[in-house]
Amino acid sequence: MNTEHKAGSVDWRGSMLGQRRRLILSAVSLLAMLALVVYALQKISIQDIEASIAQAHPLWLMAGVALLMLGQALRFARWWRILNWEARPDTPETWFSLMGGQVLNWLLPVRLGELWRVWEENNKKRNSLLWIAGSIIVEKSGDSLALAVMALALVFVPLPTQLPSSPARVLFTAFAGFLMAGGLVAFRSSAWQGKVLQRFPQFGGLLSAMRPTESHADQLRNPLNWAEAIIISLVIWAIAVLTNVAIARAFGLALGAGAHLVLMLAIMSVLAIAATPASAGLPVIVTATLAVFGVPSADAIAFGSVLYVLTYGVNLVLLGLSWVVKKWRSR
């Protein structure tokens, strides 16, 4: 059978084959997570977890929900602004594409949400397929640089006493350098299309004949555009940390700045490497990290579970609202 990839087509079969390694890693991660959950439930009373959740302060939880919504609004603003470098996007469609992609990334370990987001946004034909795909690269570069700043901050802020200070600071410095190097790749406009094809090989046939126009190159070289994207990214991740702070305070957990930065980096790193269906590993990551800081197991599990429910519950609600608006407009 001829499996040669034809120009102008989307290589869906190749996409799924390319995700095979990630699926295997996801299955192994899921089994490990289930083993940890079974072990933890043998050591911890479910009643203690329920009691901890019942005692959570509702005002702090409401603050956490408000911060989650603010963070999503800023993610939308960042993507809208990046798309606007080329042409003004359709605002409701862009919001629906963003939320739908995030929910798909949450449900599927193979991270097809970004691919769906590009394809859905392309339906309005406001922006070129190349630029929409490239906007994801710019987003991820901004995220990498923002997380690099967080990792570098751990070199200077007080660390939890449970962490060995000198080795931890060396590790965080190396991690910051790794994130910084990844984030700076998109600055090289000459390598931009190659980066797009690396992240979205499914579009190889569609993009093979396309080249960034001079207008694209000018926008990528514009330092004001990059400054805006990076500043918004920094604010997005600062709000993500503040969200964790608010929910932790709901459980009476007064963790320091260093502990919250470590927690955020742990969540993002492990979820990126060992993705599980529906991001089910998030409560386990939170519990394991807080256990290192001496937080009681019942409180740590309660915190991780509530953070999980609120984070993805807000995403589902916002997706539902965007779908209602989309249907209303189509009438």
Side-chain angles (χ1 to χ4, degrees):
M1 183 176 63
N2 182 17
T3 58
E4 182 180 355
H5 181 69
K6 297 180 180 180
S9 65
V10 180
D11 186 14
W12 296 107
R13 181 174 179 273
S15 172
M16 297 309 298
L17 290 175
Q19 297 288 357
R20 182 181 300 173
R21 181 181 302 176
R22 190 174 183 88
L23 287 170
I24 294 173
L25 180 59
S26 175
V28 172
S29 302
L30 182 61
L31 291 175
M33 183 204 69
L34 291 174
L36 288 172
V37 169
V38 171
Y39 175 80
L41 292 178
Q42 291 177 345
K43 302 292 183 180
I44 305 167
S45 169
I46 296 180
Q47 288 73 22
D48 291 342
I49 300 173
E50 293 174 345
S52 180
I53 294 175
Q55 293 172 6
H57 199 292
L59 290 180
W60 280 113
L61 293 179
M62 291 172 62
V65 170
L67 288 167
L68 284 168
M69 290 184 172
L70 177 59
Q72 292 294 58
L74 285 172
R75 289 181 187 277
F76 163 74
R78 179 181 63 177
W79 194 34
W80 193 97
R81 290 292 299 168
I82 295 170
L83 291 172
N84 194 55
W85 294 0
E86 182 192 49
R88 184 182 180 87
D90 181 271
T91 299
E93 183 65 31
T94 300
W95 177 254
F96 176 74
S97 302
L98 174 67
M99 296 313 306
Q102 289 200 5
V103 170
L104 279 176
N105 276 343
W106 164 50
L107 294 174
L108 303 174
V110 293
R111 308 289 291 180
L112 290 179
E114 292 168 4
L115 182 63
W116 182 88
R117 174 154 60 123
V118 173
W119 197 257
E120 181 68 22
E121 183 67 21
N122 188 57
N123 288 335
K124 286 295 181 180
K125 305 301 180 184
R126 298 283 187 91
N127 297 90
S128 66
L129 180 65
L130 177 64
W131 189 258
I132 297 170
S135 69
I136 308 296
I137 306 301
V138 177
E139 273 190 357
K140 299 307 177 185
S141 295
D143 287 338
S144 290
L145 292 173
L147 291 171
V149 171
M150 290 172 55
L152 194 60
L154 286 168
V155 178
F156 304 100
V157 303
L159 294 176
T161 57
Q162 294 84 358
L163 293 179
S165 180
S166 296
R169 293 186 194 281
V170 171
L171 178 63
F172 292 134
T173 301
F175 190 45
F178 172 77
L179 291 171
M180 189 73 69
L184 291 174
V185 169
F187 280 94
R188 296 172 53 200
S189 57
S190 61
W192 183 62
Q193 187 177 11
K195 191 69 174 177
V196 171
L197 290 173
Q198 179 182 348
R199 191 171 192 89
F200 299 104
Q202 305 88 351
F203 293 144
L206 294 174
L207 299 180
S208 59
M210 298 175 67
R211 293 291 183 271
T213 66
E214 187 58 33
S215 175
H216 289 156
D218 287 342
Q219 294 295 340
L220 287 171
R221 288 193 292 260
N222 189 336
L224 295 179
N225 286 341
W226 276 102
E228 180 185 51
I230 293 171
I231 289 171
I232 297 176
S233 298
L234 286 169
V235 176
I236 287 171
W237 287 103
I239 289 174
V241 173
L242 290 176
T243 301
N244 290 353
V245 171
I247 297 175
R249 292 300 299 270
F251 291 94
L253 303 177
L255 303 173
H260 276 292
L261 290 176
V262 171
L263 175 61
M264 180 56 65
L265 290 172
I267 291 173
M268 298 311 301
S269 301
V270 178
L271 285 182
I273 296 172
T276 55
S279 298
L282 189 149
V284 177
I285 300 167
V286 172
T287 301
T289 305
L290 295 185
V292 174
F293 301 149
V295 175
S297 298
D299 291 338
I301 294 175
F303 172 37
S305 301
V306 169
L307 177 63
Y308 177 86
V309 171
L310 292 182
T311 298
Y312 297 110
V314 165
N315 285 2
L316 286 172
V317 170
L318 293 177
L319 173 61
L321 292 175
S322 66
W323 181 83
V324 170
V325 172
K326 181 181 175 68
K327 289 298 181 182
W328 178 78
R329 292 181 74 214
S330 67
R331 291 176 178 273

